[in-house]
Amino acid sequence: RKNMGKHETPQDRYHKAHTVSLTIRLMKNTEQDILQKLDSVPNKAGYIKALIRSDIDKNGEQQRQQT
């Protein structure tokens, strides 16, 4: 008898081994500005990653100046 459950595909195994999925919740009434901005960009993940990398670069430069 065949397994009735979903079979794990090679792609599933790759994602499980090499990726992380993050979720955030935004309040429709108090964080509308964030929601509108995210709706305006074609690549939400890329936009968020670019902001984080920019912050890392900025803070890294500040830490070098403080030492």
Side-chain angles (χ1 to χ4, degrees), residues 17-34:
H18 300 285
T19 65
V20 174
S21 181
L22 303 173
T23 303
I24 63 168
R25 289 184 186 267
L26 298 172
M27 300 294 292
K28 290 179 183 179
N29 55 346
T30 59
E31 297 172 320
Q32 190 63 36
D33 56 336
I34 297 170

Side-chain angles (χ1 to χ4, degrees), residues 1-66:
R1 189 172 178 190
K2 286 187 174 184
N3 183 356
M4 296 302 285
K6 181 182 174 193
H7 293 289
E8 188 175 60
T9 65
Q11 186 176 23
D12 292 334
R13 286 191 293 276
Y14 178 86
H15 285 298
K16 190 175 185 178
H18 300 285
T19 65
V20 174
S21 181
L22 303 173
T23 303
I24 63 168
R25 289 184 186 267
L26 298 172
M27 300 294 292
K28 290 179 183 179
N29 55 346
T30 59
E31 297 172 320
Q32 190 63 36
D33 56 336
I34 297 170
L35 291 166
Q36 287 175 345
K37 181 60 182 178
L38 288 173
D39 284 341
S40 76
V41 298
N43 180 353
K44 292 169 184 53
Y47 178 72
I48 293 167
K49 290 175 190 178
L51 288 174
I52 293 169
R53 287 187 175 118
S54 174
D55 187 55
I56 290 168
D57 290 345
K58 180 179 133 189
N59 288 329
E61 181 62 31
Q62 288 176 351
Q63 288 175 352
R64 283 190 289 269
Q65 290 175 358
Q66 291 175 356

